[in-house]
Amino acid sequence: MRTSITRRLKGLTAAATIILLLSSCLKKDLDTLPSAKIDAHPDLMVSSSNLIAMAALGQMSGNPILPSPTADPDILYTNGKYYIYTTATGPGASQFHCYSSTDLLSWNDEGIILDLAGVSWAQQDGWAPSVVARNGKYYFYYTAEKKIGVAVSTSPTGPFIDKGSPLATGDGTDPIDPMVFIDTDGQAYMYWGNTLLNIQKLNPDMVSLTGTLGHQKPSNYFEAPYVIKRNSIYYLMYSVKWYTDDDYHVEYATSSSPMGPWTSKGRITSPIGEIKGPGHNAVLVKPGCPDEFLFIYHRRTSTVVDQRQVAIDRMFFDASGNIMPVSITKSGVIKAAGTAACIVPNPIANGQYAIKSKMITSSGAGLFLDIPACSNLNADVRTWTKTTCNGQKWNISYQGNGFYKIISEQPSHKSLDLSSCGLDRGTDVGVFDANGSNCQLWKIESAGNGWYRVMARASNNVLDIEDASNVAGANVRSWSWNATDAQLWKFEAP
């Protein structure tokens, strides 16, 4: 598309989410934060003019992940790295860049990989690339002056050499936003177009089209098509409304054929709070993990509509194969090399448990997730040593979609909940009337040796004992994952 660290410190969260710094000011700015609360990853530094220094949140990416303004991302994994490609910057939006990462936390600007100044048929308005690997080469599809081009390289970071003429114009007044999908039978398809959706097969050479140009589209389709296949079903994601609209968002449709027809299914993203226009997405299936999906998109917090920022969150399917609405978060995703082990979706059997922290008191006593004074009312949760109270008994039930409900055994059966449904790290965790919201859904993931992290669906933040306190009665809050004992929990017989 075109162009509570403690409660009194919660205001620092937004500043910690994105810090784009020159080397001369990086240390100065970080030194202004409380030293005990800086959990940026060890690679946060500027070692060359091309390195983007972003403030990762512990072992999480933070959102946004790339400097603003940039938009319309595509993502590729190859040769042990993740690569992100975005709309061009520079004079007249003529210079396409690539950003690389080994772990989803720190991203290097690989520099200009295609400059429209060297393209014979278009020199400006370089938008919305799509990149695929095939035939030992990388194919870079892009918009320029409302035509679709393709450039080729032997490296994911270029340089890419344009084929010398447009690949396609397509039908419609705004044939933009190309996306290339390779089906399981090896046939490649290109999707593109604003308002009117164009679909056509690519030849094996990947730089020419063949067959009939199709126009099947779902209701509400506007732009930025993106296709994946799961369990023989084709999922077409697309953005709705003008990118300048606060409610610019992603919807999806399904089909039994890559050419359609498409059945509209619903919305994937929605603006939340100060975050507007979450749209123009791409999806990456984590290598070797067919049910782990990374959802990359752009959004903005500025009232200047072109100040868009690239972000990354996780995408999930429910038990019926529907794409669940993506949680638009500030913490982003957990550090993960492409070779990291796959996440087991439901590691804890349904049942009643005491939830024990890896933290212990100075006398060696265990600490458990506890409703203070065994209250039957809405309340914050704390840690406490072992009791027989029902306020330390939790009924865990898997919902078939990667998430659990965690319900107290107290007679009121309150649900574990994020206070005021807060997305910021530092949000208190409590029990509240069960309402089925995302703030009452939790992902339980193994952290090894029988210990687990418990992650809120709404924010991607995890259960955390404030200030890593080992004193009974410490506050339990949500925080970005940093793999400390204060964030590790075991599920035991009550």
Side-chain angles (χ1 to χ4, degrees), residues 4-7 10 13 424-428 461 466 475 477-480:
S4 92
I5 294 176
T6 61
R7 294 176 185 80
K10 284 182 181 177
T13 301
D424 290 333
R425 55 183 189 157
T427 296
D428 288 333
N461 291 322
E466 188 164 355
N475 185 48
R477 61 184 181 177
S478 68
W479 197 259
S480 50

Side-chain angles (χ1 to χ4, degrees), residues 236-299:
L236 169 64
M237 290 162 265
Y238 49 92
S239 292
V240 177
K241 301 188 177 183
W242 288 99
Y243 82 100
T244 57
D245 196 299
D246 285 356
D247 192 32
Y248 184 69
H249 65 273
V250 179
E251 297 182 11
Y252 82 103
T254 60
S255 177
S256 59
S257 165
M259 299 288 291
W262 304 95
T263 300
S264 296
K265 300 294 286 186
R267 181 188 278 245
I268 297 176
T269 67
S270 297
I272 183 167
E274 64 180 358
I275 300 171
K276 311 298 183 186
H280 199 120
N281 76 288
V283 172
L284 178 70
V285 183
K286 187 172 173 292
C289 303
D291 284 318
E292 289 185 43
F293 297 86
L294 299 174
F295 185 89
I296 186 167
Y297 60 104
H298 72 233
R299 65 197 207 181

Side-chain angles (χ1 to χ4, degrees), residues 215-384:
H215 296 301
Q216 290 281 354
K217 69 173 186 177
S219 60
N220 291 343
Y221 174 85
F222 190 72
E223 65 183 10
Y226 199 91
V227 173
I228 64 171
K229 185 179 184 181
R230 180 178 183 266
N231 297 337
S232 300
I233 298 173
Y234 297 88
Y235 293 79
L236 169 64
M237 290 162 265
Y238 49 92
S239 292
V240 177
K241 301 188 177 183
W242 288 99
Y243 82 100
T244 57
D245 196 299
D246 285 356
D247 192 32
Y248 184 69
H249 65 273
V250 179
E251 297 182 11
Y252 82 103
T254 60
S255 177
S256 59
S257 165
M259 299 288 291
W262 304 95
T263 300
S264 296
K265 300 294 286 186
R267 181 188 278 245
I268 297 176
T269 67
S270 297
I272 183 167
E274 64 180 358
I275 300 171
K276 311 298 183 186
H280 199 120
N281 76 288
V283 172
L284 178 70
V285 183
K286 187 172 173 292
C289 303
D291 284 318
E292 289 185 43
F293 297 86
L294 299 174
F295 185 89
I296 186 167
Y297 60 104
H298 72 233
R299 65 197 207 181
R300 61 180 170 83
T301 55
S302 173
T303 56
V304 179
V305 294
D306 284 323
Q307 297 291 316
R308 294 165 292 171
Q309 304 163 315
V310 172
I312 187 167
D313 282 302
R314 291 174 68 180
M315 186 178 83
F316 300 95
F317 289 79
D318 67 18
S320 299
N322 300 306
I323 298 177
M324 299 174 65
V326 168
S327 295
I328 304 303
T329 75
K330 297 180 180 180
S331 288
V333 297
I334 288 173
K335 176 180 180 179
T339 55
C342 299
I343 295 172
V344 177
N346 54 328
I348 300 297
N350 290 352
Q352 188 176 104
Y353 298 89
I355 303 178
K356 182 180 181 179
S357 171
K358 196 172 183 181
M359 301 290 293
I360 58 174
T361 68
S362 57
S363 64
L367 291 169
F368 293 81
L369 194 67
D370 179 273
I371 302 174
C374 220
S375 173
N376 200 39
L377 304 175
N378 296 332
D380 288 343
V381 295
R382 298 287 189 268
T383 62
W384 201 258

Side-chain angles (χ1 to χ4, degrees), residues 173-212:
T173 58
D174 216 359
I176 62 172
D177 296 353
M179 184 272 164
V180 170
F181 162 73
I182 302 175
D183 204 348
T184 48
D185 64 2
Q187 178 61 58
Y189 298 81
M190 188 166 76
Y191 303 76
W192 74 102
N194 172 289
T195 305
L196 181 69
L197 177 60
N198 299 280
I199 309 173
Q200 195 166 3
K201 292 180 179 180
L202 282 155
N203 282 311
D205 65 8
M206 300 298 286
V207 296
S208 60
L209 295 165
T210 186
T212 302

